[in-house]
Amino acid sequence: LFFLSGALFQLQGLPGWLTFISRIDPLTYAIDGLRVLLANIGHHDLTLGLDILVLICMSVLFLLIGGYFFDQIQV
């Protein structure tokens, strides 16, 4: 996840399948949001609001999935 987030190298010019993976990587949006906040430039043509919205949606989704599987544990 870290290597495809754009933290170490630019995401322009990647093959199509790697671009798809980097677009569904939540860390990509966190790194892009930090770049917009700190340097006022981002990798994608995304706004800071969209970065935050994607991070919130992914957090809620992972919390729901984790809660469901935690509820399924039998001791």
Side-chain angles (χ1 to χ4, degrees), residues 14-29:
L14 289 176
W17 64 278
L18 276 178
T19 301
F20 174 75
I21 291 174
S22 72
R23 290 285 181 157
I24 61 172
D25 180 9
L27 196 54
T28 300
Y29 297 95

Side-chain angles (χ1 to χ4, degrees), residues 4-64:
L4 292 176
S5 69
L8 299 177
F9 55 88
Q10 293 188 4
L11 297 175
Q12 288 82 12
L14 289 176
W17 64 278
L18 276 178
T19 301
F20 174 75
I21 291 174
S22 72
R23 290 285 181 157
I24 61 172
D25 180 9
L27 196 54
T28 300
Y29 297 95
I31 297 296
D32 191 62
L34 283 174
R35 285 181 190 235
V36 169
L37 281 175
L38 297 176
N40 204 19
I41 53 173
H43 277 285
H44 307 290
D45 297 330
L46 304 175
T47 62
L48 181 61
L50 184 62
D51 289 332
I52 293 171
L53 179 68
V54 168
L55 288 172
I56 289 171
C57 290
M58 293 298 279
S59 298
V60 169
L61 176 70
F62 289 142
L63 279 172
L64 290 173

Side-chain angles (χ1 to χ4, degrees), residues 63-75:
L63 279 172
L64 290 173
I65 291 171
Y68 172 77
F69 283 117
F70 185 77
D71 193 37
Q72 299 298 319
I73 295 175
Q74 295 184 11
V75 180

